Amino acid sequence: MVQPAPLAVLPLSNVLRSLMTTTVSSSPILLSPSLAIMSVLANTTNPVLNPDRNPFLHFLLKKTFYAQFCAGENAPQVRQTIQSLKKIGFGGVILGYAREVVLTEAQTKDLSSCSTGAAAEDCVRNEINPWADGTLETVLLASPGDFVALKFTGAGRQALHALSQRLPPSEALASAIDTICKMAVARGVRLLFDAEQQALQPGIDDWTLEYMRKYNTPDRAVVYGTYQAYLKATPATVSRHLAAAREGGFALGVKLVRGAYLGSDPRHLIHDTKADTDAAYDGIAAALLRRQWNEQLKPQSEADGKTFPNVNVVLASHNRESVFKAREILSSEGKTDTDVVFAQLQGMADEVSCELVASNGADPKPRVYKYLVWGSTGECMKYLLRRAQENRDAVQRTRAGRDAMRAELIRRVKSLFGLE
């Protein structure tokens, strides 16, 4: 029996749009000017260059890059996008709110001023409340079993100040986070706390563990932390957090990624080679999936080594080799006690995602999710710029995606004429 082509599940419009974006992203001639233009649009204060105010720009971006990577500008559009992904065979989505707080240079330099008085009230009114409202709306848009991704820095100056000093969240921010967590629990939605630059990450880790203790049960994680495998310290961090989960009696939520801040994190903190990062990612993933310590992930103490805490895992990777190494572990182990989800960004590595979806007849059945953001075209511009920059930094992978889409298009043309 001939197996269907994995990308056959995608609508033709998706294949054509993916081919266009990956062709641009994999071409040095086309990508450089595209990045320059997108950078201007993402950072402009000129209303003419604002896609939310310029109908021509809005139409052009909405039908191309926005449609490739984003869920929609409003609730009906978001729900339609999510429904179409689930109809294809995806198990769910990871949904994020695109709006970001934009601070002036003066505000960034004087974060401590936001702690008291009128400045604090302004932060709550114009930064924390909009972030909380948008995140709560995102939780409402998600369905049971879906994830909502959130960045603490999206809450503005009070969050930045507290995280940089490793302080607890302010009263207003703590209340907002608790409200978000409680709504997520009520709706059966899970929360992914994003990793950020190393200047802030220790504070994020503190907050993440605190909310895990409050909302994760012994069997199920509601709150997940994000762990970047390209950092040399990540295995020790994961091991330390596993020890905290064992002592606290809660399931540790782990979203494992390779890393997103290569251009800004101190170089000495990052593995020397890509091969070292790959080995760290695959080793940590294997330990979590098997719930067994190994050379990459070692226990903090002899007592920790006797048991492996319950862990829920999101393997977020566009690397096909890593994804299918993990898939092979799940297949060889059979039924596993570890709750596992595979995830890729919407509009990227679709050939990997669809190959996983196509293996849904396997046992155990892989659960494949797509990460996407929602918001107006203008609000999503910084997110779209980051996706374009990511494609620039992973040219080989982008070319693989382009070639896969081109091959799928050729296959469909041949099939149309009975030549397949």
Side-chain angles (χ1 to χ4, degrees):
M1 180 179 178
V2 178
Q3 293 293 320
L7 290 172
V9 298
L10 294 180
L12 178 61
S13 59
N14 288 44
V15 174
L16 293 172
R17 192 170 56 240
S18 293
L19 180 58
M20 182 273 292
T21 55
T22 52
T23 298
V24 171
S25 298
S26 60
S27 167
I29 296 174
L30 297 174
L31 183 57
S32 294
S34 298
L35 278 173
I37 293 169
M38 292 187 73
S39 181
V40 170
L41 296 178
N43 297 291
T44 186
T45 57
N46 187 333
V48 176
L49 297 177
N50 185 335
D52 290 338
R53 298 187 183 184
N54 184 320
F56 173 74
L57 276 177
H58 181 270
F59 178 83
L60 181 64
L61 289 166
K62 183 78 184 291
K63 297 298 182 181
T64 53
F65 291 99
Y66 182 95
Q68 180 72 0
F69 299 110
C70 301
E73 295 189 294
N74 51 50
Q77 291 176 9
V78 172
R79 292 193 179 99
Q80 182 178 1
T81 300
I82 293 174
Q83 185 62 31
S84 66
L85 287 170
K86 291 182 178 179
K87 189 174 181 180
I88 286 172
F90 289 101
V93 297
I94 301 170
L95 190 62
Y97 180 48
R99 185 179 183 274
E100 298 182 12
V101 173
V102 179
L103 302 178
T104 65
E105 187 175 350
Q107 288 173 326
T108 304
K109 287 181 177 178
D110 191 20
L111 293 174
S112 60
S113 67
C114 67
S115 301
T116 59
E121 293 175 5
D122 180 72
C123 286
V124 173
R125 182 173 55 253
N126 295 316
E127 297 171 14
I128 293 176
N129 288 347
W131 172 81
D133 291 343
T135 305
L136 288 168
E137 189 171 358
T138 308
V139 174
L140 288 172
L141 287 170
S143 299
D146 288 339
F147 293 84
V148 166
L150 58 89
K151 276 184 178 288
F152 287 128
T153 55
R157 285 171 284 171
Q158 287 192 4
L160 282 166
H161 175 65
L163 289 170
S164 64
Q165 303 299 314
R166 291 193 76 170
L167 299 172
S170 67
E171 183 178 349
L173 183 54
S175 176
I177 298 170
D178 273 319
T179 301
I180 291 165
C181 290
K182 288 174 183 176
M183 180 179 284
V185 170
R187 289 188 54 78
V189 171
R190 294 166 285 180
L191 301 172
L192 299 179
F193 290 177
D194 280 345
E196 304 199 43
Q197 290 95 335
Q198 280 306 290
L200 304 174
Q201 192 58 44
I204 293 173
D205 287 343
D206 292 344
W207 292 11
T208 300
L209 275 179
E210 184 60 30
Y211 286 101
M212 283 189 189
R213 288 189 182 98
K214 290 180 72 172
Y215 294 102
N216 290 7
T217 68
D219 300 318
R220 178 178 169 81
V222 173
V223 173
Y224 288 64
T226 300
Y227 301 85
Q228 303 188 96
Y230 76 169
L231 296 171
K232 295 175 183 178
T234 291
T237 301
V238 175
S239 181
R240 189 170 65 253
H241 290 190
L242 284 166
R246 181 181 64 82
E247 293 168 6
F250 61 87
L252 188 74
V254 175
K255 175 191 172 189
L256 186 63
V257 301
R258 270 178 169 72
Y261 298 96
L262 190 61
S264 59
D265 279 344
R267 186 63 185 87
H268 70 278
L269 299 179
I270 298 170
H271 284 298
D272 297 332
T273 66
K274 182 180 181 299
D276 290 341
T277 295
D278 292 342
Y281 188 99
D282 294 340
I284 295 169
L288 296 175
L289 295 181
R290 293 188 172 113
R291 294 180 66 178
Q292 296 176 358
W293 305 103
N294 60 20
E295 283 303 306
Q296 282 290 344
L297 192 61
K298 300 176 181 179
Q300 290 280 295
S301 66
E302 185 177 341
D304 293 333
K306 293 179 181 178
T307 59
F308 201 101
N310 193 11
V311 60
N312 293 180
V313 181
V314 175
L315 290 177
S317 177
H318 295 163
N319 183 294
R320 186 185 183 280
E321 186 174 348
S322 288
V323 167
F324 282 89
K325 278 182 179 178
R327 182 76 189 89
E328 179 59 31
I329 289 172
L330 292 177
S331 297
S332 62
E333 297 287 320
K335 186 174 178 6
T336 175
D337 292 330
T338 304
D339 184 285
V340 184
V341 163
F342 294 92
Q344 290 83 39
L345 292 166
Q346 168 72 350
M348 295 174 69
D350 286 339
E351 69 281 6
V352 176
S353 302
C354 290
E355 190 173 351
L356 279 170
V357 169
S359 66
N360 273 355
D363 185 27
K365 176 180 176 181
R367 295 158 62 210
V368 193
Y369 282 54
K370 277 293 192 180
Y371 179 112
L372 61 172
V373 302
W374 74 280
S376 72
T377 307
E379 289 172 335
C380 290
M381 280 310 303
K382 284 185 169 59
Y383 176 82
L384 293 174
L385 177 61
R386 287 196 292 272
R387 298 289 74 79
Q389 291 168 334
E390 187 173 340
N391 277 334
R392 176 196 62 189
D393 295 336
V395 173
Q396 195 59 45
R397 188 189 68 218
T398 306
R399 286 174 179 165
R402 176 201 63 190
D403 294 345
M405 291 299 166
R406 181 185 294 157
E408 173 60 18
L409 186 60
I410 291 172
R411 185 196 68 78
R412 294 189 187 197
V413 171
K414 287 182 175 179
S415 177
L416 186 66
F417 292 98
L419 301 175
E420 191 177 24

